[in-house]
Amino acid sequence: WMEEWWEQLAYLRTRTTMAIHINWYGVVPDLGLPVTNVQAAAMMLHAVIEMRTTLEQGKYGVEQMRNNNLDMHQFTRVFGMTRIPGEDADMLQQAHTSRHIVVLRKGALISMPLYCPAGRPYGLSQLQSLVAAVIEIADSAILEANDEPPISVLTSMERDKWASVRARMLEDPTNGESLRTVESALFCLALDTATPSNKQETGWLSLGGSGRNRWFDKSFTVVIFENGRGGINAEHTPVDAMTIVSMFLRVLTTIRAMFPAQRAAVTATPTHLAAGTEVPRKLHW
């Protein structure tokens, strides 16, 4: 009863912007190997998928504090989770069977698959190709005569205002389909064009930067910068911060193990999408 009470009182009924009052950030430590943004993003996605598979198979070990087992329920509330704005109070919505993420770059939102049609997760090389394809889509889109506005900035509005705007957007079929795609995504990946030079700058940009490349309602967003540095932006409502921290410590352990074992694959140049790979799809509004 206390968890539900606290979730409502401290989070879902909060009407101010989430961007700086609820969401939090983390900085990914230096990986110890020069990598491009495509390589860094692919490694991160590969490790996150592996960690999710461990969770789904029930092999994620029970954590302890002072030799006492901790309740692991919150670990089931991370993937596919989105906070939906509502009048007076928000709600949490989770897509348990989701197989895609949404990538944000230069104001564009692009749906990208993490699993093949048969349900198997894509490997590192395929993920590199997918991320490269996403960047090509986003970077070519900005040259269009009628460039689309950065819709994601709406999630930084005060909650009642965002709820009203979202309700009007859902009246349009195209907007409705795009919103459902974002809200059902496993999580978000932000491919920022900034090149932070230190942890402090990386942290500030991961928290929100201009606010134009974050979907603040998603449970977490992996942020990869143009120079390969990384961070995370997480929504605090569904889980405690340490749940996300614990998960990403495992992700970083997996990534560090990839360097000696798969160095050639990690630093490979992305190839074209293989036949049968679902092509990333730009969302329209």
Side-chain angles (χ1 to χ4, degrees), residues 38 124-133 136 265 268-275 277:
V38 171
L124 181 61
S125 176
Q126 293 165 307
L127 290 171
Q128 289 176 341
S129 299
L130 284 163
V131 173
E136 183 177 354
T269 300
T271 58
H272 292 294
L273 291 176
T277 304

Side-chain angles (χ1 to χ4, degrees), residues 1-13 71 73-74 77:
W1 66 267
M2 181 174 288
E3 180 179 5
E4 182 179 358
W5 169 81
W6 179 247
E7 190 173 275
Q8 287 286 334
L9 182 66
Y11 297 106
L12 294 176
R13 296 181 187 176
D71 184 352
H73 170 68
Q74 287 195 0
R77 307 183 78 204

Side-chain angles (χ1 to χ4, degrees), residues 130-200:
L130 284 163
V131 173
V134 164
I135 291 177
E136 183 177 354
I137 292 171
D139 288 6
S140 62
I142 66 171
L143 301 178
E144 297 175 0
N146 297 313
D147 191 29
E148 298 175 9
I151 296 295
S152 59
V153 76
L154 296 174
T155 64
S156 68
M157 297 173 67
E158 293 181 355
R159 303 307 291 175
D160 284 342
K161 292 181 180 178
W162 170 215
S164 176
V165 171
R166 179 180 177 275
R168 293 199 301 274
M169 292 177 67
L170 287 172
E171 296 173 359
D172 178 87
T174 299
N175 288 337
E177 180 184 357
S178 294
L179 275 171
R180 285 187 288 272
T181 299
V182 178
E183 293 170 353
S184 65
L186 285 169
F187 56 93
C188 284
L189 168 66
L191 296 173
D192 282 15
T193 57
T195 56
S197 59
N198 53 53
K199 290 182 179 179
Q200 289 75 18

Side-chain angles (χ1 to χ4, degrees), residues 227-259:
N227 57 3
R229 288 181 177 267
I232 59 172
N233 181 288
E235 204 274 283
H236 213 313
T237 306
V239 299
D240 292 328
M242 290 309 299
T243 301
I244 300 290
V245 170
S246 173
M247 296 172 76
F248 271 88
L249 285 175
R250 295 199 181 207
V251 166
L252 291 174
T253 298
T254 298
I255 289 176
R256 289 195 175 100
M258 292 169 64
F259 287 146

Side-chain angles (χ1 to χ4, degrees), residues 13-36:
R13 296 181 187 176
T14 299
R15 301 292 84 198
T16 187
T17 174
M18 290 168 47
I20 57 174
H21 293 291
I22 293 180
N23 284 48
W24 57 276
Y25 73 92
V27 175
V28 175
D30 187 357
L31 299 177
L33 182 71
V35 290
T36 66

Side-chain angles (χ1 to χ4, degrees), residues 1-123:
W1 66 267
M2 181 174 288
E3 180 179 5
E4 182 179 358
W5 169 81
W6 179 247
E7 190 173 275
Q8 287 286 334
L9 182 66
Y11 297 106
L12 294 176
R13 296 181 187 176
T14 299
R15 301 292 84 198
T16 187
T17 174
M18 290 168 47
I20 57 174
H21 293 291
I22 293 180
N23 284 48
W24 57 276
Y25 73 92
V27 175
V28 175
D30 187 357
L31 299 177
L33 182 71
V35 290
T36 66
N37 58 341
V38 171
Q39 294 164 346
M43 280 193 299
M44 186 68 75
L45 294 175
H46 180 77
V48 170
I49 293 172
E50 185 173 306
M51 181 264 293
R52 180 175 186 250
T53 300
T54 302
L55 278 172
E56 290 183 322
Q57 294 176 345
K59 297 179 180 179
Y60 197 102
V62 176
E63 298 193 344
Q64 293 186 326
M65 179 179 291
R66 297 179 181 177
N67 296 321
N68 294 312
N69 289 344
L70 298 178
D71 184 352
M72 301 293 287
H73 170 68
Q74 287 195 0
F75 288 82
T76 68
R77 307 183 78 204
V78 176
F79 291 101
M81 182 68 80
T82 301
R83 178 167 164 167
I84 305 296
E87 186 177 350
D88 297 328
D90 295 352
M91 62 176 288
L92 293 176
Q93 178 176 289
Q94 189 169 20
H96 295 279
T97 60
S98 180
R99 290 291 182 267
H100 71 279
I101 62 172
V102 165
V103 186
L104 300 94
R105 181 174 172 86
K106 296 183 177 180
L109 287 92
I110 299 166
S111 176
M112 180 186 127
L114 292 186
Y115 297 80
C116 71
R120 295 185 301 275
Y122 285 122

